[in-house]
Amino acid sequence: MADAGSDMADEGATGPPGPSGCPVTDWSTDFDHTDPQYAARAPEIWDELRSSCPVARSERFGGVWLPTRHADVASIAHDTDHFSSRGVIVSVFEPGPGPVGYAPPITSDPPFHETARRLLLPAFSPKAIRPLEPTTTALCRELLDDLVERAGEGGVADAAIEYAQEIPVRVIAHMLGVPASDGDRFRTFIHRIMETGGQNDAVDPADTLSAYLLDIIEQHRGSVTPRGDLIDFLLDARIDGEALDEDHIVGTVALLLIAGIDTTWSAIGAALWHLAHHPEHRARLLAEPDLLLMAIEEFLRAYAPVTMARKVAREIELGGRTLEPGDWVLLPFPAANRDPRAFDAADEVILDRAKNRHAAFGLGIHRCLGSNLARMELTVAVREWLLRVPDFELADPSAVRWSAGQVRGPRTLPVRLRTITGPSSEEAA
Amino acid sequence: MRIRYDRDACQGHNRCYLLAPELFDVDDDGYAVLRVEGEVPEELRGKAQLAVDNCPEYAIGLDGD
Ligand code: HEM
Ligand code: SF4
């Protein structure tokens, strides 16, 4: 079925060249993960490199490596002595020194990393996340009601923009205890962060996410009854007996927004993209709803959205190459997930794959803190879509656009709603 | 058949807990907690194997037969 590779190849895009100013012609010596070709056909590029040049190097971004074998990606993720998280997004700018970093815990190295991470773990454990499922179900149904009403049976809707994109934003707003009436304002902040990479230029300082959150924090402090939301959780948290200062709380919330939104959006979009052109998989999931548990992990394996990065801290050999301190290293978990040495029929989507040690949520100490939340959102989003729109197809395969860079997923996904069913009458599960 | 669980290798991916809740629980931080001591009951052997085969960190193994 080799679907992702070949399907994506059809979606080849042309556009502006990568940061060195020239389009890539040789991926083994000059790759650029921000190039539009990478957006369109990354899985094919990984497959080519894995056999021809498993630890590739490019001089772009001041020197960056791209390992594509599962074994190499895993060894880097587990080796925090040679590889530092002080830089996790490859850029022409030099990140600050460790070990705390600008967005703990994702940019922190041991030993500080554990302090920052432990603090947040209980809020994201499977048992803490489960109570959010009914709300998530309800909001997916609401989005579907609107989408179905607008498009109508036989009509076209954008599953990435009108559905997938909205889900993580609304869930996180709910988790933070942001008033529903502030929804639009909150979404504006988030879209500003997502679209400008966190640089809010030329905006009124009173109208920023930080100012807004400080206000919310004040309201929480003033409230007598605890609300049990994430802001309450952070206000109650202690490091060595000390409460967190407001900057720490605002910073943590900003990290959760940045780490949790376009990642989850991408995963939901990619699963729907797959289902749009695999009617046999739609039919199977509708007939065997329990299969979703394994199918979701398989979608995460095959369409893992997140590639992280590291900075080399100490010289090390990898795949016969010498990585020097200061070099960037991309950690393409999606490429590791498609390595035939680690997975049987790695390029096929097998809904009930029994051996699936996928690395979509990373490996080692930085394992995605939000993985249980993301998994729940992805499960609910796909389940509710299939219940409401059991039959759908890509309206125009050439109109599908994948994002470039380290978070990869469909950003435009027009689908034709071939069959729609009435709104679900059962209570949110 | 007995389950071997390596707490140092476990990173709380929770795949074991989702696939074999009869055999694995999770603590408040999301790390796995073994629910069976000693022999895995006959009817849960398949689930034990499934948990092993889906742990990304190779933190679980099976001993004996
Ligand atoms: C399908 C959706 C998601 C994917 C594929 C994903 C993927 C990842 C990956 C691969 C890492 C490892 C980073 C590294 O090794 O440097 C990571 C870390 C992290 N993720 Fe996610 N993520 C997703 C959703 C979320 C959500 C919903 C949240 C929270 C709201 C979140 C919060 C975090 C945080 C805080 C870290 C840093 C953990 C640490 O450094 O200890 N992620 N994520
Ligand atoms: S699947 Fe592995 S890493 Fe995840 S909780 Fe279970 S034992 Fe730990």
Side-chain angles (χ1 to χ4, degrees):
Chain A
M1 186 169 15
D3 54 52
S6 51
D7 285 357
M8 287 176 198
D10 300 340
E11 290 148 21
T14 48
S20 80
C22 40
V24 175
T25 51
D26 182 347
W27 285 86
S28 61
T29 57
D30 181 36
F31 67 85
D32 180 349
H33 62 292
T34 64
D35 190 282
Q37 291 178 65
Y38 189 88
R41 59 176 203 99
E44 259 177 79
I45 293 169
W46 300 323
D47 287 349
E48 286 160 20
L49 289 178
R50 214 183 284 112
S51 45
S52 66
C53 182
V55 182
R57 164 145 182 128
S58 162
E59 297 311 322
R60 295 176 193 240
F61 303 99
V64 51
W65 298 92
L66 180 66
T68 40
R69 290 191 175 161
H70 184 280
D72 291 335
V73 171
S75 78
I76 296 168
H78 286 125
D79 180 354
T80 53
D81 287 338
H82 291 91
F83 300 96
S84 166
S85 283
R86 73 189 171 89
V88 289
I89 303 291
V90 170
S91 112
V92 289
F93 300 106
E94 183 59 21
V100 176
Y102 53 93
I106 205 164
T107 53
S108 315
D109 288 326
F112 178 79
H113 170 263
E114 190 176 349
T115 311
R117 181 176 171 90
R118 282 223 159 244
L119 182 78
L120 296 170
L121 279 174
F124 290 92
S125 77
K127 290 177 185 174
I129 294 303
R130 195 169 301 140
L132 296 169
E133 189 170 334
T135 326
T136 308
T137 304
L139 75 85
C140 286
R141 288 181 183 172
E142 207 176 293
L143 288 168
L144 284 164
D145 283 346
D146 291 351
L147 178 149
V148 154
E149 193 184 346
R150 213 168 25 247
E153 195 159 60
V156 173
D158 195 308
I161 297 171
E162 294 176 61
Y163 188 62
Q165 174 176 217
E166 289 294 327
I167 297 166
V169 177
R170 294 189 187 201
V171 171
I172 205 97
H174 172 77
M175 282 183 85
L176 288 171
V178 171
S181 52
D182 279 2
D184 281 343
R185 238 187 118 195
F186 184 70
R187 268 195 294 279
T188 309
F189 297 136
I190 292 180
H191 288 302
R192 213 188 275 151
I193 293 180
M194 311 304 294
E195 280 148 32
T196 58
Q199 278 137 42
N200 299 349
D201 41 22
V203 292
D204 174 359
D207 191 35
T208 59
L209 177 68
S210 332
Y212 176 80
L213 287 174
L214 287 173
D215 211 40
I216 299 275
I217 291 170
E218 272 325 300
Q219 290 172 24
H220 276 69
R221 282 199 210 280
S223 134
V224 270
T225 39
R227 314 176 199 205
D229 55 33
L230 204 55
I231 301 279
D232 269 351
F233 173 86
L234 292 169
L235 284 170
D236 289 342
R238 298 287 178 273
I239 293 185
D240 296 331
E242 300 276 326
L244 312 184
D245 57 37
E246 285 177 348
D247 282 353
H248 191 148
I249 298 183
V250 170
T252 305
V253 172
L255 167 64
L256 297 177
L257 296 178
I258 294 166
I261 293 178
D262 57 348
T263 49
T264 312
W265 169 21
S266 301
I268 298 171
L272 292 174
W273 171 78
H274 176 89
L275 290 170
H277 62 285
H278 287 279
E280 74 290 4
H281 286 170
R282 289 199 299 272
R284 202 167 161 208
L285 288 175
L286 283 164
E288 301 169 59
D290 290 347
L291 193 62
L292 204 54
L293 179 71
M294 296 183 87
I296 290 297
E297 302 300 329
E298 177 65 347
F299 293 144
L300 283 165
R301 183 193 69 83
Y303 308 115
V306 179
T307 292
M308 290 306 295
R310 296 289 186 264
K311 273 278 186 179
V312 177
R314 289 200 282 139
E315 186 180 298
I316 185 170
E317 297 275 316
L318 191 76
R321 320 276 313 246
T322 306
L323 283 53
E324 309 271 359
D327 287 351
W328 286 104
V329 186
L330 282 162
L331 265 187
F333 296 112
N337 280 351
R338 285 174 169 268
D339 183 348
R341 287 168 199 77
F343 299 91
D344 296 335
D347 60 354
E348 267 181 53
V349 170
I350 301 173
L351 296 184
D352 55 359
R353 183 181 286 277
K355 289 188 186 184
N356 188 359
R357 294 182 160 105
H358 75 74
F361 291 121
L363 291 168
I365 62 168
H366 293 278
R367 184 271 305 167
C368 178
L369 192 80
S371 61
N372 295 298
L373 175 62
R375 184 179 275 137
M376 183 277 287
E377 291 183 40
L378 182 55
T379 306
V380 171
V382 170
R383 183 185 68 208
E384 294 303 319
W385 178 285
L386 283 176
L387 287 175
R388 197 75 206 271
V389 188
D391 190 12
F392 61 109
E393 64 189 3
L394 296 177
D396 172 8
S398 67
V400 178
R401 280 286 167 271
W402 293 73
S403 52
Q406 288 182 224
V407 180
R408 183 167 186 280
R411 292 292 174 264
T412 324
L413 183 57
V415 295
R416 185 171 309 283
L417 315 182
R418 287 164 53 101
T419 312
I420 56 187
T421 60
S424 182
S425 53
E426 38 172 323
E427 281 296 295
Chain B
M1 178 195 272
R2 285 163 170 269
I3 298 174
R4 185 166 17 89
Y5 166 60
D6 178 351
R7 173 63 180 77
D8 290 338
C10 175
Q11 296 293 349
H13 288 260
N14 304 134
R15 302 285 304 284
C16 53
Y17 170 64
L18 293 174
L19 289 166
E22 303 87 345
L23 297 169
F24 298 90
D25 200 356
V26 275
D27 68 15
D28 289 346
D29 285 345
Y31 292 98
V33 177
L34 266 185
R35 295 190 59 185
V36 285
E37 282 179 38
E39 286 293 308
V40 175
E42 187 66 36
E43 69 282 9
L44 292 177
R45 286 176 165 217
K47 287 217 165 182
Q49 188 64 51
L50 200 58
V52 170
D53 290 340
N54 285 275
C55 173
E57 305 288 354
Y58 291 83
I60 353 182
L62 295 173
D63 289 330
D65 52 23

